[in-house]
Amino acid sequence: MDLPPELGEVTISREGATTVLRGPGSPREVLPPDEAALRRHVRVDPRGRYRPLSGARTLPGGWQVETGAALSLERAIEAVYPLALTHMRLHAEGTLRIVTLDAVLSRQTGRYEASANLSPERRALAARLLCGQCVRVPVWDGEECGATRIPCPEPCSVLVSLCREAAFWDDEPPEPAPVDPAIAFAAFDQPGNELREAYLAARAAGPSERTVPHG
Ligand code: SF4
């Protein structure tokens, strides 16, 4: 598969006989060509918070890794964006299997069963806010995805978690709080969580404020 020079937040440059994968910003650190080490490196954002959403636009910056015999370009991309190349290939072939948010929420059991109580309008709001922070394109939601972007075929567990919390907020609307960037990305139950506060603000603002572009 021909890869674009930019994929999500990484850049891919052919330099002589090698291909270099770089994170955002100016490279200062050369990582070893080791898939597990790269995976560990990109699972923490610049604030030191765990990144539960691999596609979140919070990749740590300032690193590069030289790909080749020890670490192929494909494996390096897999470490940063799991399944991205598989989904891109299947999407290009027209065989990517799509699962809707309604289908995902309706099959939840146990702790996440309550997510199905969220109304269609608020499911859409949760999806727009979260997917707007992600490099993947929610083709499950009907978004168009060009050949240089990463299609997302099925709502992720982070979105299910946000829908679950949002369903509880319908029952007991919480007070808004100032955004606290130190709070974990997916800690939606904690006042000050960035997505929680964005959701509560958009919900309070009404339908005209609910359109948030996907990333
Ligand atoms: S559902 Fe949205 S946030 Fe989750 S991986 Fe897909 S595009 Fe990203």
Side-chain angles (χ1 to χ4, degrees), residues 139-206:
V139 294
W140 58 261
D141 200 22
E143 287 279 316
E144 290 293 321
C145 181
T148 60
R149 302 187 68 194
I150 306 168
C152 171
E154 178 171 344
C156 64
S157 59
V158 180
L159 179 52
V160 173
S161 178
L162 178 57
C163 288
R164 173 182 181 269
E165 289 304 320
F168 293 146
W169 299 333
D170 274 350
D171 294 337
E172 290 184 48
E175 288 295 316
V179 170
D180 180 351
I183 291 178
F185 181 87
F188 305 130
D189 58 338
Q190 292 188 26
N193 171 273
E194 185 178 341
L195 276 158
R196 170 195 173 103
E197 300 307 331
Y199 179 96
L200 294 176
R203 197 181 72 155

Side-chain angles (χ1 to χ4, degrees), residues 20-65:
V20 179
L21 188 71
R22 291 192 174 90
S26 303
R28 297 177 298 276
E29 184 179 5
V30 177
L31 301 179
D34 178 90
E35 185 177 348
L38 178 57
R39 184 174 285 113
R40 282 195 299 275
H41 189 79
V42 298
R43 286 299 165 267
V44 179
D45 75 10
R47 295 180 181 276
R49 301 179 305 177
Y50 173 66
R51 298 178 66 246
L53 186 65
S54 64
R57 295 181 181 281
T58 56
L59 262 190
W63 58 268
Q64 68 177 50
V65 63

Side-chain angles (χ1 to χ4, degrees), residues 78-168:
E78 179 72 16
V80 180
Y81 297 130
L83 291 178
L85 298 184
T86 300
H87 290 160
M88 290 173 77
R89 178 173 53 76
L90 293 175
H91 189 251
E93 293 171 356
T95 56
L96 186 63
R97 184 172 165 270
I98 304 299
V99 183
T100 66
L101 181 57
D102 291 350
V104 168
L105 295 187
S106 66
R107 76 184 183 208
Q108 300 300 311
T109 56
R111 175 176 166 79
Y112 293 96
E113 195 170 356
S115 62
N117 296 335
L118 195 64
S119 71
E121 183 189 37
R122 289 185 173 163
R123 292 179 187 195
L125 173 58
R128 286 178 185 281
L129 287 168
L130 182 65
C131 300
Q133 298 207 9
C134 182
V135 302
R136 299 180 199 257
V137 179
V139 294
W140 58 261
D141 200 22
E143 287 279 316
E144 290 293 321
C145 181
T148 60
R149 302 187 68 194
I150 306 168
C152 171
E154 178 171 344
C156 64
S157 59
V158 180
L159 179 52
V160 173
S161 178
L162 178 57
C163 288
R164 173 182 181 269
E165 289 304 320
F168 293 146

